[in-house]
Amino acid sequence: MARLFCARSLRSENEQSGALFLRNSVERRVREKYLVFGAPHFGEAAIGEVVDSLRSGWIGTGPKVARLEQMVSEYTGAKHTVAVNSCTAALHLSLLAADVGPGDEVITSPMTFCATANSIIHTGARPVFVDCERDTQLIDPAKIEAAITSRTKAIVPVHFAGRVCDMNAIASIAKRHNLRVIEDAAHAIEGRYDGHKVGSMSDMTCFSFYVTKNVTTGEGGMVATDDAELASRIKMKALHGMSRDAWKRFSDAGYKHYEVVSPGFKYNMMDLQAAIGIHQFDHVEVWLDRRNEIWRRYSEELKGLQIDLPARDDPRSRHARHLYTLMIDSAKTGVTRDEFMNRMHAKNIGTGVHYIGVHLHPWYRENLGTKAEDYPNATWISERTVSIPLSPHLDDDDVTDVITAIRESLGA
Ligand SMILES: *Cc1c(COP(=O)(O)O)cnc(C)c1O
């Protein structure tokens, strides 16, 4: 556990260790060109849209952001959407809009990216982790109630890897205890549960458009909600706490004075970012179909190896297929997860770790007192998990290369 991987630093860190490894190894490359984990792809329409922003001279928040918000509203069925510059900002503002602050507690899963916990901490509240299930990697609803205290204000379920949480169970717990539900749907914009689209089920739902996510604007995020009052508070807080009409400053409606009604943040999205994202909604379902095909090939062709594959799908939900994770147990395979990643790298296949559980990182251990043994499932996953490429832009030969590299790296 000495090396901590963050999604963002993984690539360079891995490249360095891989380079070291190459000098000492006889690993065979399975392909000429390095297969970068999670690289996005942009068509001519997106390139044209970005150029259009640049040529127009209007690159800040404006009509393209409004278009992207409209698209996400239509895609998710949410009545209101507010675009911001990251999912971290979306989570932070949603928690603030839910009146979460110092002295409060917010329940979430330790099996997530650090941003989920950090956004809670930034409000002054305390994240209370409830262990995930080992197979689904999702917060275990059966353990939530025992973690609720008089200070609990909200539950933040994370649709990890694109698998949607048991929202019926979570909603009924929230209702019983009068808690807000704010979904971290960074992995699951395409997700559905029991006939409902992710984005239309809870008080607020937060999406990420970070580079590696299923839909990207480079950096970006969005809050979806059916509550006009929450949406307007979030919008106000996202732009310095200026009164709502301040967003009209970004139009050609003429000069308007603004009033600051709260000390807010600088979390707004630029048109330049929205331009990158707008045309992705033409493809989002086609890309999901393609990831489904790749997913089926992995599940078919990797079964029988001494590794665990993702849990079976929940028939109540549609999985958004964000991450395909393998569990590498060195006792079974004779190779550690990190050594496996080095071998994959030497074979020219990029992989990732999603994630080392939040509870294992030093700040949370030192300041919240989290211990590996308190979250045995999240710890078990943290020690074994590795994500293999699942981009819709992989062709069949790329997928074959990944499968070949996995078999060879495991000595199968
Ligand atoms: C990526 C991610 C975030 C943060 O998204 P940003 O847009 O980079 O702020 C939050 N939660 C999860 C689960 C993520 O994977």
Side-chain angles (χ1 to χ4, degrees), residues 236-237 240-241 260-265:
M236 178 270 290
K237 283 275 191 192
H240 304 296
V260 177
V261 295
S262 163
F265 301 88

Side-chain angles (χ1 to χ4, degrees), residues 8 86-88 112-113 115-116 158 184 186-187 208 210 213 220 355:
R8 277 146 232 237
S86 71
C87 182
T88 310
T112 184
F113 183 56
T116 318
V158 181
D184 181 337
H187 296 181
S208 174
Y210 177 63
K213 303 292 157 76
Y355 297 94

Side-chain angles (χ1 to χ4, degrees), residues 36 52-53 60 94 157 234-235 302 373 406:
V36 175
D52 179 67
S53 281
S94 297
I234 289 167
K235 209 158 186 182
L302 296 174
E373 58 271 27
I406 291 168

Side-chain angles (χ1 to χ4, degrees), residues 3 11 112:
R3 287 172 69 201
R11 194 171 295 151
T112 184

Side-chain angles (χ1 to χ4, degrees), residues 75-130:
Y75 185 74
T76 61
K79 290 204 183 89
H80 307 278
T81 43
V82 182
V84 288
N85 58 14
S86 71
C87 182
T88 310
L91 287 163
H92 185 199
L93 295 176
S94 297
L95 289 157
L96 292 174
D99 280 326
V100 171
D104 295 334
E105 292 175 356
V106 177
I107 290 174
T108 193
S109 169
M111 186 36 63
T112 184
F113 183 56
C114 58
T116 318
N118 292 350
S119 61
I120 296 167
I121 292 161
H122 293 325
T123 68
R126 181 186 181 87
V128 173
F129 299 110
V130 168

Side-chain angles (χ1 to χ4, degrees), residues 41-177:
H41 173 87
F42 303 106
E44 286 309 315
I47 293 166
E49 198 70 49
V50 170
V51 170
D52 179 67
S53 281
L54 294 172
R55 286 204 206 285
S56 75
W58 197 303
I59 62 170
T61 306
K64 292 189 189 190
V65 169
R67 245 169 91 195
L68 186 69
E69 289 174 336
Q70 185 59 34
M71 286 174 148
V72 176
S73 280
E74 280 165 18
Y75 185 74
T76 61
K79 290 204 183 89
H80 307 278
T81 43
V82 182
V84 288
N85 58 14
S86 71
C87 182
T88 310
L91 287 163
H92 185 199
L93 295 176
S94 297
L95 289 157
L96 292 174
D99 280 326
V100 171
D104 295 334
E105 292 175 356
V106 177
I107 290 174
T108 193
S109 169
M111 186 36 63
T112 184
F113 183 56
C114 58
T116 318
N118 292 350
S119 61
I120 296 167
I121 292 161
H122 293 325
T123 68
R126 181 186 181 87
V128 173
F129 299 110
V130 168
D131 202 9
C132 59
E133 297 170 327
R134 189 174 283 196
D135 55 348
T136 66
Q137 312 191 0
L138 302 175
I139 193 167
D140 185 347
K143 294 190 183 133
I144 291 177
E145 258 176 327
I148 294 175
T149 71
S150 58
R151 291 180 296 277
T152 311
K153 270 282 186 63
I155 306 173
V156 179
V158 181
H159 303 312
F160 191 80
R163 188 183 299 273
V164 182
C165 295
D166 184 346
M167 294 309 294
N168 286 350
I170 290 168
S172 78
I173 294 166
K175 193 156 178 225
R176 248 192 327 273
H177 297 272

